[in-house]
Amino acid sequence: MKDNKGKNKRKTQGMSKFAIWIALVVLMLFFSVASSGFLTPTNLFNVLRQVAVNGIAAVGMTMIIITGGIDISTGSIMGVASVGCASLMAMGVSPIVAMVIVLVAGLLIGICNGFFVYEIELPPMIATLAVSTILRGTTYIISGGLPVYGLPKSFNIIGQGYFGPVPVPVILMIICFVIGWFILEKTAFGRYIYGVGSNSEASRLSGVNVRKVIYAVYGMCGLFSALAGMVLLSRVNSGQPKAGENYEMDIITAVVLGGVSTSGGEGRIVNVIVGLLLIGVLLNGMVLMNIPDYYQRVVKGVVLLLAISYDKLSQKRARKGV
């Protein structure tokens, strides 16, 4: 009986992975017909550059969702990192020092999220939503509600530079995904992350330090989100109080589309890349077709709802042995 359930589980995961690849190919074919400018090298690199910010943050989000949690504060961490880093550089702080300060701040914010989730036992969505609200207000306090300018030109390379034909943000995203892949697939800590998501109590009884795992994944999510915020800052060349607003929804959608179960314990970070590209292609194609922003929001909401619904239905089928 257990063997059958295991086979059904693997079969469901395989179908999910196969389905998202088909969806990506179909979507690309559709937009290539609908818009002559879609399937060009320039636009395809543009898609990669556009998804790079979300992709960097998605690495941390993947780890959190695998543990069975979620982080709604990701977009706000990006915003406060963007404004904070811009403010520091505008005051004359060197870009490297400013970036280190902001990365440490992102790490500490993530650890703070972990504290409320593990120690206070708040639901992850409520805890991170509250932190998100605080951080979004903080961005306006720091900036006075106005964009922060005065960034050194050397900082532009992070968001606007190229290494050969490849945009630097894309390279940073690839590096982050490689780091995430190595942690999840090649280390004991990665196995602990999956174990906590599958059954935290069983993991604790087997000797896993669940507290350490929760603090670490939320801390890393804060760190990656802060890095994403600085890439976004470099792209727009100013610290915007609204930077990162609602980005967490696109990030969560990409992770769930990539087959990471919202119930925890399942999913591979490699597949998240496909989910990320799917969202990127969808948004880019709608822009090329001049679809208004409010329609785009409806489409993104529907995609997220369908992805989560598919995840839950797949789990039900696996449990029933269908």
Side-chain angles (χ1 to χ4, degrees), residues 44-84:
L44 293 179
F45 271 117
N46 187 42
V47 171
L48 290 174
R49 186 167 56 248
Q50 288 172 346
V51 303
V53 172
N54 286 347
I56 293 170
V59 175
M61 185 68 79
T62 299
M63 296 181 185
I64 286 181
I65 294 180
I66 288 175
T67 64
I70 198 166
D71 190 349
I72 305 298
S73 69
T74 299
S76 294
I77 295 175
M78 292 166 61
V80 78
S82 176
V83 170

Side-chain angles (χ1 to χ4, degrees), residues 3-259:
D3 290 340
N4 289 333
K5 285 185 177 181
K7 289 179 181 178
N8 289 326
K9 184 177 179 179
R10 290 191 295 271
K11 182 179 178 182
T12 300
Q13 291 175 340
M15 290 174 63
S16 177
K17 179 181 176 181
F18 191 57
I20 192 173
W21 275 103
I22 293 176
L24 178 60
V25 172
V26 169
L27 202 61
M28 291 185 69
L29 289 174
F30 171 77
F31 284 127
S32 65
V33 173
S35 174
S36 59
F38 175 77
L39 209 60
T40 63
T42 301
N43 186 60
L44 293 179
F45 271 117
N46 187 42
V47 171
L48 290 174
R49 186 167 56 248
Q50 288 172 346
V51 303
V53 172
N54 286 347
I56 293 170
V59 175
M61 185 68 79
T62 299
M63 296 181 185
I64 286 181
I65 294 180
I66 288 175
T67 64
I70 198 166
D71 190 349
I72 305 298
S73 69
T74 299
S76 294
I77 295 175
M78 292 166 61
V80 78
S82 176
V83 170
C85 191
S87 298
L88 287 170
M89 288 188 288
M91 291 188 295
V93 178
S94 73
I96 294 177
V97 173
M99 290 175 65
V100 170
I101 292 173
V102 169
L103 287 173
V104 172
L107 175 65
L108 293 176
I109 292 170
I111 291 174
C112 181
N113 282 332
F115 170 81
F116 287 113
V117 170
Y118 185 83
E119 307 293 351
I120 311 300
E121 298 184 357
L122 293 179
M125 181 173 290
I126 301 301
T128 57
L129 178 60
V131 172
S132 175
T133 304
I134 294 169
L135 294 177
R136 186 56 63 184
T138 302
T139 62
Y140 282 88
I141 293 172
I142 294 173
S143 64
L146 299 172
V148 181
Y149 297 101
L151 278 63
K153 291 185 179 180
S154 60
F155 187 73
N156 291 345
I157 190 172
I158 298 174
Q160 302 176 32
Y162 285 83
F163 189 79
V166 184
V168 170
V170 176
I171 296 174
L172 290 174
M173 178 183 68
I174 293 171
I175 292 172
C176 289
F177 267 104
V178 170
I179 292 172
W181 171 82
F182 181 79
I183 291 173
L184 288 171
E185 303 288 342
K186 299 297 181 180
T187 67
F189 182 71
R191 293 193 294 273
Y192 297 159
I193 292 174
Y194 281 102
V196 170
S198 298
N199 191 321
S200 61
E201 183 60 20
S203 296
R204 185 186 67 81
L205 293 173
S206 64
V208 175
N209 189 332
V210 177
R211 175 188 281 110
K212 181 179 178 181
V213 172
I214 296 299
Y215 274 88
V217 294
Y218 278 94
M220 284 189 288
C221 189
L223 181 69
F224 283 117
S225 298
L227 177 59
M230 288 187 289
V231 173
L232 181 60
L233 167 65
S234 179
R235 275 186 56 187
V236 301
N237 204 30
S238 64
Q240 300 289 335
K242 288 190 175 182
E245 197 168 64
N246 297 322
Y247 274 46
E248 61 274 359
M249 291 299 102
D250 289 347
I251 295 167
I252 293 169
T253 302
V255 174
V256 176
L257 279 173

